[in-house]
Amino acid sequence: MKRQNVRTLALIMCTFTYLLVGAAVFDALESEEETAERRRLEAKSQELKSKYNLSAESYRELEWVVLKLKPHKAGVQWKFAGSFYFAITVITTIGYGHAAPSTDGGKVFCMVYALLGIPLTLVMFQSLGERINTFVKYLLHRIKKCLGMRRAEVSMANMVTIGFFSCISTLCIGAAAFSYYEHWSFFHAYYYCFITLTTIGFGDYVALQKDEALQNKPQYVAFSFVYILTGLTVIGAFLNLVVLRFMTMNAEDEKRDAEHRALLTRNGQASSIHATDTASAAPAAAGGGGGGGGGFRNVYAEVLHFQSMCSCLWYKSREKLQYSIPMIIPRDLSTSDTCVEQSHSSPGRCPETPSNRCFCNARRSAISSVSTGLHSLAAFQGLMKRRSSV
């Protein structure tokens, strides 16, 4: 099974297991409290019905009125400040639910607005987060160099640590501010900031909904807008650093598999060339080394299939060599063939290399490596031109 499929199945299983664990924990923590709260509310409703002599129908109508009045307790929601606040909750997918369009035109526009705004906002935050990460990495590198640290490179662990503490600091600053303005406890304010900046947006805690703050406290309104957008940028930078690396793993594996298939195809073609050149080079070798160009191509075909090499050769993996050799060899093919012809015509200019020595130990060599498969090199011991590319 392909690596991508295994990873996807593992992620699916982990996600459903995580859901089951979360459901069990929430059941244990919340179910009894929910049952007790429902009993209290039912007892209170019966008390109100008997106290004010309300019928069931009248009580349901009173409930409906109270629910409809709830969004208006904070004042006017659809002036420019409130509309801007709502637009932020739409395109950032926070969606508190504290306000919603009531007209059909508003609902249609909300769908179209979200359809265009959500992708734009996601791309903007991810791009901005990537730029922030690049700047922080550069800044940290400069700081390390100024401090004279031996290793000035910025590791992934450094970036993750900085991103984590940046998120914690952003949440703490927001919690302190909202606990002051909204008169919440620090824990509840921290909870509100976390739910907001992770775009969960339950709506159980919503800022700017007391004392007509949207109309009467412009400084607080501006701070809330700036904080939400800045906090989402910080969270986006951290997610860009951590999560997107895993999101691109399947794409990288697909690309690697495509390259591997291309390598196998090229390998098969090179094997065919190798077999053909070996058959054509045998008569040439028997004739005293004639046809140097074809013989050199035989050497080139065998280089593509080398199994080992000397340590003095700059190491490249088989895949890298198979990518690079076809681009390197033809460039110097004519020069190498000339050297072959000169070696046969002037043996003194190209001293032979002992068979028990590495070609890299010679003064100059055509290819600075020896392998178990390079049998054709024996016919060209006079190759003197060292390949600078290798």
Side-chain angles (χ1 to χ4, degrees), residues 101-170:
S102 59
T103 63
D104 292 340
K107 293 175 183 177
V108 171
F109 178 75
C110 181
M111 290 188 288
V112 175
Y113 187 74
L115 189 64
L116 299 176
I118 291 174
L120 175 64
T121 306
L122 291 176
V123 172
M124 184 271 292
F125 279 126
Q126 290 300 325
S127 179
L128 190 57
E130 188 272 333
R131 290 292 88 200
I132 291 175
N133 289 332
T134 301
F135 175 73
V136 170
K137 187 174 182 179
Y138 168 78
L139 196 63
L140 189 59
H141 178 72
R142 298 293 299 177
I143 291 173
K144 284 187 172 184
K145 290 186 66 176
C146 292
L147 294 177
M149 298 181 68
R150 182 174 299 177
R151 298 187 61 183
E153 295 83 5
V154 180
S155 65
M156 178 62 72
N158 297 145
M159 295 297 296
V160 171
T161 302
I162 292 175
F164 176 75
F165 282 106
S166 298
C167 293
I168 297 297
S169 302
T170 302

Side-chain angles (χ1 to χ4, degrees), residues 81 208 213-215 217-226:
L208 302 174
L214 287 169
Q215 288 76 38
K217 297 180 180 178
Q219 295 86 359
Y220 178 41
V221 172
F223 167 79
S224 299
F225 294 167
V226 171

Side-chain angles (χ1 to χ4, degrees), residues 77-299:
Q77 294 286 332
W78 293 106
K79 292 297 183 182
F80 184 79
S83 299
F84 192 85
Y85 191 28
F86 176 77
I88 290 177
T89 63
V90 169
I91 65 173
T92 58
T93 68
I94 295 174
Y96 290 128
H98 68 289
S102 59
T103 63
D104 292 340
K107 293 175 183 177
V108 171
F109 178 75
C110 181
M111 290 188 288
V112 175
Y113 187 74
L115 189 64
L116 299 176
I118 291 174
L120 175 64
T121 306
L122 291 176
V123 172
M124 184 271 292
F125 279 126
Q126 290 300 325
S127 179
L128 190 57
E130 188 272 333
R131 290 292 88 200
I132 291 175
N133 289 332
T134 301
F135 175 73
V136 170
K137 187 174 182 179
Y138 168 78
L139 196 63
L140 189 59
H141 178 72
R142 298 293 299 177
I143 291 173
K144 284 187 172 184
K145 290 186 66 176
C146 292
L147 294 177
M149 298 181 68
R150 182 174 299 177
R151 298 187 61 183
E153 295 83 5
V154 180
S155 65
M156 178 62 72
N158 297 145
M159 295 297 296
V160 171
T161 302
I162 292 175
F164 176 75
F165 282 106
S166 298
C167 293
I168 297 297
S169 302
T170 302
L171 292 172
C172 289
I173 292 172
F178 287 112
S179 64
Y180 172 77
Y181 284 111
E182 298 288 341
H183 306 292
W184 295 332
S185 66
F186 183 84
F187 172 74
H188 289 160
Y190 190 93
Y191 168 80
Y192 161 76
C193 293
F194 181 85
I195 295 301
T196 297
L197 298 186
T198 53
T199 70
I200 297 173
F202 289 131
D204 50 348
Y205 289 88
V206 182
L208 302 174
Q209 299 298 294
K210 290 182 178 179
D211 305 324
E212 297 186 354
L214 287 169
Q215 288 76 38
N216 300 330
K217 297 180 180 178
Q219 295 86 359
Y220 178 41
V221 172
F223 167 79
S224 299
F225 294 167
V226 171
Y227 174 78
I228 291 174
L229 296 176
T230 304
L232 288 172
T233 302
V234 174
I235 298 296
F238 184 69
L239 294 179
N240 179 278
L241 190 68
V242 177
V243 177
L244 289 186
R245 176 68 186 91
F246 296 96
M247 294 176 63
T248 57
M249 290 180 72
N250 278 347
E252 292 176 357
D253 286 343
E254 291 288 350
K255 181 180 179 181
R256 191 181 301 113
D257 290 345
E259 292 175 352
H260 184 63
R261 287 192 295 269
L263 278 174
L264 292 178
T265 303
R266 183 179 298 175
N267 207 6
Q269 294 174 353
S271 299
S272 301
I273 295 174
H274 171 62
T276 304
D277 288 345
T278 302
S280 61
F296 189 83
R297 286 179 174 82
N298 184 24
V299 174

